Amino acid sequence: MIEELIQYQNNLLSQHSMSWLRYLYPKLDLGEKLLGIKGLRGVGKTTILLQYLGQSELPANKKLYVTADHPYFYSNGLFDLAQQFYSYGGKLLVIDEVHKYSNWSRELKLIYDGFPDLRVLFTSSSALDLYRGESDLSRRLISFPLEGLSFREYLSLMTDRNFNTYTFQEILENHQEISTFLRRDFHPLPYFQAYLKFGYFPAIKHLSPESMKNRIFQTINTVLETDLAFSKEYTPSNIAKIKKLLGVIAVTVPFEPNISKIAEKLGIGRNTVYAFLTHLQDAKILKLMNRPNRGISYLQKPAKIYFENTNFAFSMQVNPNKGTIRETFFINQLGNAGQQVYLSEKGDFGVADTWTFEIGGTSKDDKQIKNVKNSYLVIDDIEIGIGNRIPLWLFGFLY
């Protein structure tokens, strides 16, 4: 049967090229023995695995790709496969969608402890807590999130050109020079508007905008009906209530929740609402925002709720509020790049207890952040900024 897996692997490898790589790719070559990649469906987890496998200098018989939903696992175990592969001299085992294998945590621990020369690289749904399970993986596992496309990656994918990333500090200090340099080669605003609607997922390279809209909506449904249902053991009744919750949120995003009213409307307890919201954030459907020094927990009401990315907002509403889309893009791109973003008392957002940002269109002035130290206006619909007025699209070059 392992021969069938090798044939399946070879078929997949023949369909993937190295012409375009996600931002996470260089981090995979750290030599870690157990490395996990978490991410939304459709962000390119399978592609990055196959690209890494294809570029590995190991001989073909020492590396193997499997997906946990392959029929092989109907009658065979993951540990048994690793044992057989290791006995043949295997060095690199790549497991896609490990969360679809019921005993993933226990058997990964056994593989880690039992086969000292075998590296394991795997992917899982964002909804799955990799550090929680029957077996303690926390001391063994290195985990990375794979986020959706940055605006920079979207441009590279759609134009077949390379664009450099810029640090947060470089954008704040040199945004006029950077945007002037980038502006020489393309007009960013038309691409930016398309990105906000359809550009967070790599499939946009091969699908029409209308098909992409359907794909994005299907992604939300699949995360709810498959990933959350599996990882949180939700019943169909739970999933139906979560969909109603998303419908309530979609009408007025950014949503300022009244937990008691939501609970009454859905016919569930307040604690269940808190749990649903937290799980939807874990699954990368929603983004829960709060004031400084107030973390999000099951029993704490978020101050505002956004969709995790702008594509989700457009899929749930025909004409989402433009101001909300701007804010969603800003917190998404900064958060994906590792910045701590929170709601600010003055301005819209604070970052890392140091900077304050007000988000708006071309007519936005600085009266809300006047006399606030380290404050900036983030302006949509401009190609090049000046002073403390920074183009919104430029924050899409952080990763």
Side-chain angles (χ1 to χ4, degrees), residues 106-125:
R106 181 190 310 132
E107 297 199 23
L108 282 181
K109 177 183 180 296
L110 291 173
I111 292 168
Y112 181 97
D113 293 339
F115 309 122
D117 299 328
L118 182 64
R119 284 190 67 209
V120 177
L121 175 62
F122 68 90
T123 68
S124 78
S125 162

Side-chain angles (χ1 to χ4, degrees), residues 140-154:
R140 299 167 173 83
L141 173 65
I142 300 296
S143 175
F144 288 113
L146 181 62
E147 311 293 359
L149 300 182
S150 66
F151 179 48
R152 178 194 69 86
E153 289 183 302
Y154 169 77

Side-chain angles (χ1 to χ4, degrees), residues 42 149 154 157-158 190-217 309-315 317-318:
L149 300 182
Y154 169 77
L157 182 64
M158 301 305 288
Y191 285 102
F192 186 54
Q193 293 307 313
Y195 168 83
L196 294 175
K197 294 179 180 179
F198 311 114
Y200 197 61
F201 297 92
I204 187 59
K205 178 72 171 178
H206 309 290
L207 297 178
S208 68
E210 189 57 38
S211 296
M212 196 64 208
K213 183 175 181 179
N214 292 333
R215 173 72 67 87
I216 293 165
F217 192 74
N309 63 78
T310 60
N311 288 189
F312 283 171
F314 274 101
S315 74
Q317 291 181 284
V318 177

